[in-house]
Amino acid sequence: EESMRKLVMAALFAFVFGSLMFGVAAQAAPSFTTLTLPALNTNISTWSDGSTYNSVFPGLRTWNGVPFKLEVEENTGNNVFYNGTLTIPVNVYGATNAYTLINSYCGEYGTVIGKVEFNGSDGAYYSADLEEGRNVRDHFAGGYNNIIDGTNAVAAFDNGNGRARLDMQIYWLPADFSDETLTNIVFTAYDKGRSGIPFIAAATVEVNPVPVPPSVLLLGSGLVGLGALSRRKLRFRELFK
């Protein structure tokens, strides 16, 4: 009975260790860094249906599983950066994805109204145009462009027709950023008048850990189990004599 108990304990040890290894892998989750916009120059709460924004500014909000930090400048009430160029410090190593909250004043389908650039510490670079109808649309669900493609941008703060809104852009950064620091994001707006002028309300960067292949975890747990059994080998032999 004692020998059987020890055999069972050894087997349980290998099983529990393997389960813990798989548990650690399963718990590995993406890491999000919410960014602070270094300048705010416009208060969109004064725009069409702008009072709707008062329910989300300021604060930490999560949309589509992504957290964003929305801020309001104390003295002016400004809450977005609009119609200019803004360099946003990041300093995150191994970034895999990025997200912004960008909408526009008015907007005409198909018009490129700006761009978002990503700069790495060792030359990595990525740029995405802001195009009405693809990844940006009017902040107000009215008579201007109301279309985004649902892939490069999705609704975040959406209140239906005739209401103000915020949309989330999604950027899949190239593998060059995996071993570099994403130093900054540069938002550039083009003044296209009623064809669209973008503003940015927030930005967030994601680091998605590379998962350990299950085969490696199984091998590791198996080796540990074999090691445990080997250390008891002589003792087991004595028990069965």
Side-chain angles (χ1 to χ4, degrees):
E1 290 181 359
E2 179 65 11
S3 61
M4 182 61 69
R5 185 183 69 82
K6 291 183 178 181
L7 279 172
V8 171
M9 290 299 292
L12 283 174
F13 176 84
F15 174 79
V16 170
F17 183 86
S19 299
L20 288 173
M21 291 289 286
F22 277 109
V24 170
Q27 291 172 11
S31 172
F32 294 102
T33 300
T34 57
L35 304 179
T36 298
L37 303 187
L40 302 170
N41 63 7
T42 297
N43 180 4
I44 57 172
S45 296
T46 64
W47 292 15
S48 299
D49 193 43
S51 60
T52 298
Y53 292 123
N54 293 335
S55 64
V56 293
F57 285 90
L60 184 65
R61 311 296 175 188
T62 299
W63 289 300
N64 305 304
V66 180
F68 292 96
K69 181 165 62 175
L70 300 173
E71 298 181 280
V72 175
E73 195 171 66
E74 185 175 353
N75 295 329
T76 65
N78 293 337
N79 47 23
V80 302
F81 183 84
Y82 170 67
N83 196 19
T85 297
L86 181 68
T87 299
I88 306 166
V90 180
N91 296 319
V92 170
Y93 182 84
T96 53
N97 301 84
Y99 308 90
T100 55
L101 296 178
I102 296 175
N103 285 83
S104 62
Y105 159 78
C106 298
E108 180 181 353
Y109 185 89
T111 304
V112 175
I113 62 171
K115 62 181 178 180
V116 180
E117 299 170 281
F118 301 84
N119 296 296
S121 58
D122 197 29
Y125 176 80
Y126 178 69
S127 178
D129 285 337
L130 296 172
E131 181 181 344
E132 294 280 352
R134 185 174 71 91
N135 59 358
V136 67
R137 61 182 173 177
D138 186 11
H139 82 287
F140 178 74
Y144 290 92
N145 175 47
N146 291 301
I147 298 172
I148 49 176
D149 66 10
T151 300
N152 295 285
V154 295
F157 178 60
D158 192 0
N159 301 283
N161 291 332
R163 304 300 304 275
R165 59 193 171 197
L166 293 170
D167 295 319
M168 181 180 87
Q169 292 70 37
I170 306 168
Y171 311 90
W172 295 270
L173 299 180
D176 291 348
F177 287 93
S178 64
D179 60 355
E180 294 187 26
T181 296
L182 175 59
T183 56
N184 59 60
I185 298 172
V186 181
F187 165 81
T188 301
Y190 307 147
D191 186 345
K192 296 297 182 73
R194 292 188 180 275
S195 292
I197 307 172
F199 65 78
I200 182 169
T204 295
V205 170
E206 177 185 6
V207 176
N208 201 342
V210 178
V212 178
S215 58
V216 174
L217 295 177
L218 283 172
L219 176 61
S221 60
L223 289 174
V224 169
L226 287 173
L229 290 173
S230 297
R231 287 193 297 272
R232 292 171 173 79
K233 186 175 181 181
L234 292 176
R235 293 176 62 188
F236 289 157
R237 283 180 178 175
E238 291 297 324
L239 290 168
F240 287 111
K241 280 184 178 179

